[in-house]
Amino acid sequence: MAGRIFYFIALLVASWCVMTFTHEMGHIFGGWLCGGTLKDADLLPWHLPYSIFDPDPIPLITLWCGPILGVVVPLALAMTVRRRWMWFIANFCIVANGAYIATAWMSNDRYLDTP
């Protein structure tokens, strides 16, 4: 029983790290794709990761690349790896990105992705 609990906690930690990394790298990729200049970024998963572009020529692309790639990359990895643990991580990323967008939209917090 203790082994299953440890396994579940390890999966949650891995899921959180994958979700925050792929989401924020999506923003970074989107900003670079649009010709933005990355001024500052923090990818550490134990607090809210961020990236700041100045200028950001097309901020909507920079913004939406975060949740899109934050879902697509883990799904692609799960389809490639085909292991239950990877599907757990991919599904976590789908739920977490969706919940993040919904929460950010409802709270209208200027530090989150939706304003």
Side-chain angles (χ1 to χ4, degrees):
M1 181 65 165
R4 294 186 84 178
I5 292 171
F6 175 77
Y7 181 69
F8 181 68
I9 291 170
L11 272 175
L12 287 177
V13 170
S15 298
W16 178 258
C17 291
V18 169
M19 187 277 298
T20 58
F21 181 78
T22 57
H23 180 100
E24 205 54 47
M25 284 306 295
H27 289 310
I28 292 171
F29 177 74
W32 283 337
L33 188 67
C34 297
T37 302
L38 183 64
K39 293 296 181 186
D40 193 20
D42 186 355
L43 298 175
L44 299 175
W46 47 84
H47 54 80
L48 197 61
Y50 66 89
S51 54
I52 298 171
F53 284 87
D54 188 27
D56 189 356
I58 311 173
L60 279 177
I61 291 178
T62 303
L63 173 76
W64 280 103
C65 278
I68 290 170
L69 290 180
V71 167
V72 170
V73 170
L75 273 176
L77 286 172
M79 286 188 265
T80 303
V81 174
R82 296 179 179 241
R83 297 285 186 253
R84 288 182 66 189
W85 59 267
M86 191 60 220
W87 281 107
F88 180 93
I89 292 172
N91 287 318
F92 179 94
C93 291
I94 292 168
V95 171
N97 275 284
Y100 175 68
I101 293 299
T103 303
W105 177 72
M106 288 173 46
S107 71
N108 202 27
D109 187 333
R110 70 183 191 98
Y111 294 110
L112 301 179
D113 285 350
T114 56

